[in-house]
Amino acid sequence: MQWIALTQTDPFARGLEYLRSLQTLVPDPGLIHQWDSDLPSDRLQYHLPICTWIGSHIDTLNAQLDRHLTACQDCFYPDQRPAVQIFAAPLAPAYGIDGFCNLELRPIPILIDVGRVVRSDWLRLVVHEYAHAKVGTAGHDSRFLAILEHLCLGLAIPLPSDSTLRLQQASRLPDYRALADASRFWMGNH
């Protein structure tokens, strides 16, 4: 696992550095939520608690996601595993996604908005994004579903029993419980 190399030690500066580093991993830097639409006149005062919380907790969050990623990787032989990295990331609500993998970069970065998903379901979202990385496409076709089914079988995650239904719902599988307000999590209010 190659983590983003953070040089700052102050929690606020470290959190800000982390968010800026995430922006280099996505095609549109606006995919990383900066809460710009919610900002009061004093931008720094608003960002202070968010960046400070991220700077203080990001290593723990990424370590937990890395354990989930390792569980996915362990479902395949070493020579069949994609080169991937995983990061907790506050994704902009306007995009309407809870996870993202950038198939244009190597290793493939997988970004998971842990604030949008119930903690006990983080693995399920990691499985979905890992399947995209393994297949190498953003679509939800039969190849994607086959990898998803393999992962879910290996990780004991239930899927609908009907194969036609699974293909129709592939973009939303495996099921996970979403949270309504991700910003609460990223501000440390969870």
Side-chain angles (χ1 to χ4, degrees):
M1 177 70 178
Q2 295 178 344
W3 298 99
I4 291 174
L6 298 176
T7 61
Q8 301 296 319
T9 56
D10 171 72
F12 171 77
R14 193 168 193 274
L16 191 58
E17 179 183 26
Y18 180 77
L19 292 172
R20 288 180 177 153
S21 295
L22 289 177
Q23 290 178 322
T24 68
L25 301 177
V26 294
D28 175 6
L31 181 60
I32 304 304
H33 190 2
Q34 293 288 317
W35 291 272
D36 290 335
S37 61
D38 304 328
L39 289 176
S41 58
D42 186 348
R43 182 181 179 123
L44 181 61
Q45 182 176 339
Y46 188 75
H47 275 291
L48 185 64
I50 296 166
C51 290
T52 301
W53 190 88
I54 290 172
S56 298
H57 296 90
I58 201 59
D59 291 333
T60 302
L61 295 174
N62 282 337
Q64 185 167 355
L65 288 178
D66 191 50
R67 286 190 292 276
H68 293 321
L69 180 64
T70 298
C72 292
Q73 293 277 46
D74 287 347
C75 290
F76 297 95
Y77 292 111
D79 63 330
Q80 298 174 338
R81 298 172 183 165
V84 292
Q85 298 177 345
I86 194 161
F87 304 99
L91 300 176
Y95 284 82
I97 58 174
D98 302 328
F100 175 80
C101 68
N102 187 347
L103 300 169
E104 301 299 317
L105 298 179
R106 295 293 179 271
I108 298 168
I110 297 174
L111 282 65
I112 301 295
D113 192 334
V114 294
R116 296 176 60 112
V117 179
V118 172
R119 185 180 292 261
S120 59
D121 288 351
W122 287 0
L123 174 60
R124 292 168 177 251
L125 184 53
V126 172
V127 163
H128 184 95
E129 294 304 323
Y130 182 87
H132 283 299
K134 175 79 172 124
V135 174
T137 64
H140 299 99
D141 60 10
S142 59
R143 293 180 311 130
F144 170 84
L145 185 58
I147 296 298
L148 188 73
E149 289 170 340
H150 177 83
L151 287 163
C152 288
L153 180 64
L155 297 170
I157 297 172
L159 289 173
S161 57
D162 181 281
S163 61
T164 303
L165 187 60
R166 283 196 304 267
L167 188 55
Q168 291 171 348
Q169 296 178 350
S171 66
R172 297 182 308 274
L173 292 177
D175 289 330
Y176 59 86
R177 294 165 289 168
L179 295 172
D181 186 5
S183 64
R184 288 184 45 77
F185 178 90
W186 292 106
M187 288 187 229
N189 300 322
H190 45 88

